[in-house]
Amino acid sequence: MRIVVPAGGIGGARFLRGLRAVLGTDASTEERTTDSSITVIGNTGDDITLFGLRICPDLDTVMYTLGGGINEEQGWGRTDESFTVKEELAAYGMKPTWFGLGDRDTATHIVRAQMLAAGYPLSAVTEALCDRWRPGVRLLPMTDDQVETHVVVDDGQGRRAIHFQEWWIRHRAALPAEQIVSVGAEKAEPGPGVLAAIAEADAVILPPSNPVVSVGSILNVPGIREAMAAKTVVGVSPIIGGAPVRGMADACLSAIGVETTAGAVAEHLGSDLLDGWLVDEADAGTGVEGVEVRSRPLYMSDPAATEAIARAAVDLAVELAEGREDRG
Ligand code: GDP
Ligand code: CA
C-alpha cells in the first residue's frame, strides 16, 4: 500500500510511528519484506529564520521522532540535549530568547543553512538530513517556496501580525487571535514529488495534527487539496471530547471560527476532501454529512495504542476505497 500523510509536528510524528509499524516500512531496505510506502508531506508553515538559521520545526520533529533522536517527554528537539549555544547567544543580547534551540539541534541547522546558502532547495536539504536519520518514510516539504503562518492579534496597542512561532511559544497562544494567514501560500508550488506521491497513493491519511496550522497550511498550497480530494481520504481527529489532547489547537480553531469538536473539525475539512473520520469513543454519535464516521479509542498513549489507531485508519481507507471501486 502507498499512503500519503500530510503531517505537522508532535501529533503527526507519533501517529507516523504507529503507521510505519502497521505497514512494516521501518525495517532497513535490505530487510524489508513489504512493498508498502509512506510519503509524508511535511508542514513548513511554522518555519522561521532566527540567528541566520532556517528553522523547520515540523520537518525536524518528524525526522527526529522517526529516526529515534527525539526528546520523548518534550515531543520536540533532540534527546540528551544541552543549551550552551542558547546561553551564549543570550549573553550577546541576541534576540529572541524565547526560542529553544539546543546544541545538538544547532548542528542540524548549520547543515541546513549551509546547503540552503549553496542553493539547494529545502526538499534536497531534507533528503540529505534524512540520510542520517533513516526515518522509514519519504519526508517531503509541502513546498520549497517560503510560506509562513502569521497570526493577526490585537493586544490593546492595535492590530498587528506576528509570526506563528512568536504567538505560539512566546505568548503561549494566549493573545486572542483574529486571523491566521499563510503568507506566501497563494504563490507557492507543491514541493518536488508531492503531487506525484498523492497521484500514486492508494489513500491519504490525515494524522491527528493541528487542523489549522499544520494540515490547514499544507492544504493551503495550491494544488495539494485538489489532488488529495481525488483520493480516498481518512482522518484521525486531533480533538477528543471537545479539547485538543495536547497543545493549544483550540486557540487556532477559535481564531478561524470553528468550534473545538471532532465534528466541527471534520465539517471544516469538508466532505469534498474527507471520506472517513475516526473520532474517539468520547465523541461516538458524531455525524458528518457525506463522511463515514467511526469511533474508537484515539489516545496515542503507548506504541501499541498508536499502532491500533493507525491500523484502524488504514482499514477504513481500504474499506472506503473498495466501496468507491464498486460504485465505479
Ligand atoms: P505540532 O506541530 O507539534 O503542534 O503537532 P501537530 O500539528 O502534528 O499535532 C498537534 C495535535 O495533535 C494537537 O491538536 C493534539 O490535539 C493532537 N494530538 C496530540 N496527541 C494526541 C493523541 O494522543 N490523540 C489524538 N487523537 N490527538 C492527539
Ligand atoms: Ca507545528
Side-chain angles (χ1 to χ4, degrees), residues 108-124:
T108 303
H109 289 85
I110 291 172
V111 176
R112 179 180 288 128
Q114 181 161 314
M115 284 189 72
L116 289 173
Y120 289 97
L122 184 62
S123 50

Side-chain angles (χ1 to χ4, degrees), residues 1-326:
M1 257 200 124
R2 286 154 303 185
I3 306 278
V4 164
V5 179
I10 301 176
R14 293 207 169 141
F15 176 80
L16 281 162
R17 244 183 341 204
L19 185 64
R20 191 178 59 174
V22 169
L23 297 182
T25 66
D26 46 349
S28 67
T29 333
E30 303 83 67
E31 298 165 11
R32 212 174 270 180
T33 53
T34 176
D35 291 334
S36 293
S37 69
I38 302 171
T39 301
V40 178
I41 302 178
N43 172 42
T44 61
D46 292 12
D47 295 7
I48 187 168
T49 301
L50 298 175
F51 319 118
L53 304 170
R54 190 68 181 158
I55 299 175
C56 306
D58 285 355
L59 292 179
D60 288 352
T61 295
V62 169
M63 183 175 80
Y64 291 154
T65 302
L66 297 181
I70 199 77
N71 177 327
E72 290 287 344
E73 297 80 61
Q74 205 168 247
W76 56 269
R78 288 295 318 280
T79 183
D80 199 14
E81 187 58 292
S82 55
F83 288 88
T84 307
V85 171
K86 186 176 189 248
E87 285 164 29
E88 290 292 312
L89 287 169
Y92 281 111
M94 288 280 281
K95 297 251 169 18
T97 50
W98 45 262
F99 197 88
L101 193 61
D103 299 332
R104 290 182 188 279
D105 210 5
T106 298
T108 303
H109 289 85
I110 291 172
V111 176
R112 179 180 288 128
Q114 181 161 314
M115 284 189 72
L116 289 173
Y120 289 97
L122 184 62
S123 50
V125 177
T126 305
E127 197 181 337
L129 292 170
C130 284
D131 226 27
R132 169 181 175 196
W133 291 102
R134 312 242 155 228
V137 302
R138 193 152 72 106
L139 177 58
L140 306 177
M142 65 188 199
T143 179
D144 275 337
D145 300 321
Q146 191 161 313
V147 175
E148 284 187 357
T149 305
H150 287 207
V151 181
V152 179
V153 295
D154 191 343
D155 57 4
Q157 294 156 30
R159 283 174 98 231
R160 64 201 165 94
I162 57 177
H163 192 286
F164 171 75
Q165 295 294 353
E166 184 175 355
W167 182 66
W168 194 251
I169 298 173
R170 184 180 186 188
H171 299 291
R172 309 295 310 155
L175 278 182
E178 296 185 351
Q179 227 182 315
I180 295 181
V181 193
S182 288
V183 179
E186 67 288 345
K187 294 192 306 285
E189 284 178 25
V194 166
L195 293 182
I198 300 170
E200 289 161 11
D202 297 301
V204 174
I205 296 182
L206 311 185
S209 279
N210 188 307
V212 184
V213 296
S214 294
V215 174
S217 308
I218 298 167
L219 295 174
N220 281 343
V221 177
I224 293 188
R225 184 191 173 91
E226 295 73 10
M228 287 184 176
K231 294 283 159 171
T232 299
V233 181
V234 168
V236 178
S237 176
I239 304 300
I240 297 182
V245 181
R246 50 181 290 163
M248 304 160 285
D250 47 334
C252 300
L253 286 165
S254 55
I256 62 162
V258 174
E259 237 187 292
T260 303
T261 64
V265 170
E267 303 268 4
H268 168 67
L269 290 167
S271 59
D272 60 315
L273 177 72
L274 280 184
D275 298 291
W277 187 237
L278 294 180
V279 302
D280 188 77
E281 285 171 320
D283 301 305
T286 299
V288 184
E289 207 187 319
V291 179
E292 181 67 27
V293 181
R294 302 271 170 89
S295 65
R296 67 167 335 279
L298 286 190
Y299 280 105
M300 300 187 285
S301 40
D302 58 46
T306 308
E307 193 177 326
I309 296 168
R311 191 178 300 280
V314 170
D315 288 349
L316 181 56
V318 169
E319 183 188 323
L320 296 174
E322 280 167 1
R324 275 182 174 225
E325 274 166 29
D326 293 345

